[in-house]
Amino acid sequence: MARGFLAQTVTVVSLTVTFSAVTARSSYCRYLPPLFQSARTHAICSNSGRHWFPINAARMSCYKHPKENLHNKARTSPYPGSKVERSEVPNDKVDWLTKWEDYSPVEYTARSVLAGPQWADPEIGDGNFSPKFNEKDGQVERRSQNGTYAVENGRPRNPVGRTGIAGRGLLGRWGPNHAADPLITRWKRDGSGNKVAHPFSGRNILQFIAIKRKDCGEWAIPGGMVDPGEKLSAALKREFGEEALNSLQKSGADKEELEKQLNKLFSQDHFVVYKGYVDDPRNTDNAWMETEAVNYHDESGETMDNLPLEAGDDAGKVKWVDISEKLKLYASHADFVRMVAEKREAHWSEHPDLGCHGGAEIKE
């Protein structure tokens, strides 16, 4: 999933904010102002009373376009896998265009990143490290899906705004860290093979494959980091195979048959759900997550019948899950799922005209 980018730590923080938000594509220079028109300017506390998060973080995915919900989990404290508290950034100070002379972000890069694994960049200033930001840097993609980002004092600047932490945190690359999220769906069917409609909305129920992450215990779409030089299509198939089908443990004829079925699945009807900056709790002022989420739909369900689910790699569990507004998923994944349901005219809400409803944990 993280392909090493999510560093292993003894203490793992589970951030269970209901739903998340994703952002729009744009260049850094005028990225924020239109998106913060409805933002509140104060924060609320967690139950412990010791940690804070932006008030908008508690009311995400209110059936609005992702552009209207922005940069909330990227300001939560403590930082994942640590006890590091971000410098508090109120909504009206997120925008880099807003002057804030006293802004003093906490500097933090995880030890596992500083140890210099293959998937991580060296520190800025290291003699042999001369990254080409906003370019394809050898095999490393340093271009952003959101357009050109600013570079100040040799460091890339988060295109969405301040996060309260400088450095890279748990992320390996300075600037954008690219991920691929394959969202696999099918129609829910009864024992006779007929599509099942929701009793309230009357729309057919769509299902997707969800995995339970080992690092934080939250349910999510299978996916992970794109390796240097790897094509997106290959990354999507690889990540799904590793996490939802345990492909890394297959060999011989089993592996050959699995590859055959995967090729069939990933040649079916699909569309790009979202690509760009992701509101992720690992983001910092100088490193951030971007993804391309793609929906592959098994209309008949026959292809997936030949691919038995088995959790592997970074996934602790895997299962088919009914899609609805009640889902509570990692990072921005609930928004991606909602967009797929809307695109395929499937059931999403029991009461579409009554506003937002809190998400529920997936039953294991």
Side-chain angles (χ1 to χ4, degrees):
M1 177 186 302
R3 301 290 294 173
F5 276 73
L6 248 182
Q8 299 299 312
T9 55
V10 175
T11 302
V12 177
V13 178
S14 177
L15 299 173
T16 56
V17 178
T18 299
F19 288 174
S20 182
V22 291
T23 65
R25 300 181 65 188
S26 177
S27 61
Y28 75 88
C29 60
R30 287 289 172 183
Y31 192 69
L32 283 163
L35 309 181
F36 275 96
Q37 293 175 357
S38 62
R40 304 288 182 91
T41 57
H42 56 282
I44 57 178
C45 296
S46 66
N47 293 332
S48 69
R50 295 183 296 106
H51 308 313
W52 65 273
F53 54 91
I55 194 166
N56 276 14
R59 47 203 310 128
M60 301 177 195
S61 284
C62 295
Y63 319 126
K64 298 178 181 179
H65 191 278
K67 293 181 181 180
E68 298 179 41
N69 291 315
L70 183 64
H71 209 46
N72 291 293
K73 284 197 172 184
R75 290 182 283 154
T76 52
S77 284
Y79 187 89
S82 77
K83 296 181 180 179
V84 176
E85 298 282 333
R86 297 176 186 265
S87 297
E88 184 172 346
V89 181
N91 286 338
D92 61 351
K93 291 292 200 318
V94 170
D95 189 350
W96 292 110
L97 296 178
T98 301
K99 292 184 178 180
W100 190 5
E101 295 181 358
D102 295 331
Y103 178 56
S104 181
V106 176
E107 181 76 28
Y108 175 65
T109 300
R111 290 182 180 179
S112 53
V113 175
L114 294 175
Q118 185 177 4
W119 47 265
D121 288 333
E123 284 289 270
I124 298 292
D126 282 10
N128 297 324
F129 182 53
S130 300
K132 298 177 180 178
F133 295 121
N134 289 302
E135 297 182 31
K136 183 72 177 292
D137 188 7
Q139 294 295 309
V140 178
E141 181 58 83
R142 300 193 188 277
R143 292 173 294 187
S144 170
Q145 305 256 26
N146 294 58
T148 303
Y149 51 86
V151 179
E152 292 189 349
N153 300 318
R155 290 184 170 193
R157 192 176 72 177
N158 188 310
V160 178
R162 301 178 176 98
T163 68
I165 283 187
R168 284 176 287 164
L170 290 168
L171 299 178
R173 303 294 179 193
W174 293 98
N177 290 256
H178 294 282
D181 291 317
L183 213 169
I184 310 301
T185 57
R186 71 179 184 187
W187 296 110
K188 185 174 185 177
R189 297 178 185 273
D190 60 22
S192 299
N194 300 312
K195 295 179 182 179
V196 176
H198 193 275
F200 288 97
S201 69
R203 293 192 172 193
N204 293 330
I205 298 174
L206 201 62
Q207 296 181 314
F208 81 105
I209 293 176
I211 57 101
K212 188 173 185 180
R213 295 171 61 113
K214 288 181 179 178
D215 58 353
C216 64
E218 292 189 74
W219 287 89
I221 299 167
M225 308 311 299
V226 179
D227 290 337
E230 186 178 30
K231 291 184 178 180
L232 176 73
S233 57
L236 289 163
K237 185 171 67 173
R238 172 180 55 76
E239 286 291 346
F240 179 73
E242 290 175 359
E243 295 190 344
L245 304 173
N246 199 21
S247 62
L248 293 176
Q249 300 303 316
K250 304 293 191 231
S251 61
D254 289 341
K255 187 171 184 178
E256 185 176 331
E257 179 61 24
L258 179 63
E259 187 68 22
K260 177 182 176 181
Q261 295 300 328
L262 275 174
N263 288 336
K264 184 177 180 180
L265 173 65
F266 281 82
S267 65
Q268 295 198 77
D269 172 35
H270 66 276
F271 75 96
V272 176
V273 181
Y274 174 83
K275 57 181 178 180
Y277 181 95
V278 179
D279 186 20
D280 191 288
R282 295 167 291 180
N283 293 350
T284 73
D285 285 2
N286 311 116
W288 59 90
M289 288 297 303
E290 297 190 10
T291 195
E292 185 158 346
V294 182
N295 173 224
Y296 290 87
H297 181 64
D298 186 9
E299 178 64 26
S300 68
E302 294 176 356
T303 300
M304 285 308 305
D305 285 344
N306 297 318
L307 286 171
L309 300 181
E310 181 182 351
D313 196 25
D314 296 330
K317 297 181 179 181
V318 59
K319 64 183 295 185
W320 284 101
V321 176
D322 291 357
I323 291 177
S324 79
E325 64 179 340
K326 297 179 181 179
L327 290 174
K328 185 160 108 176
L329 301 173
Y330 176 79
S332 305
H333 293 189
D335 292 284
F336 300 160
V337 170
R338 173 178 55 81
M339 285 185 249
V340 171
E342 292 174 351
K343 173 74 173 180
R344 301 202 178 276
E345 299 183 339
H347 167 72
W348 172 254
S349 174
E350 294 182 14
H351 308 285
D353 299 325
L354 296 182
C356 299
H357 301 273
E361 297 284 357
I362 293 175
K363 295 181 180 181
E364 299 180 15

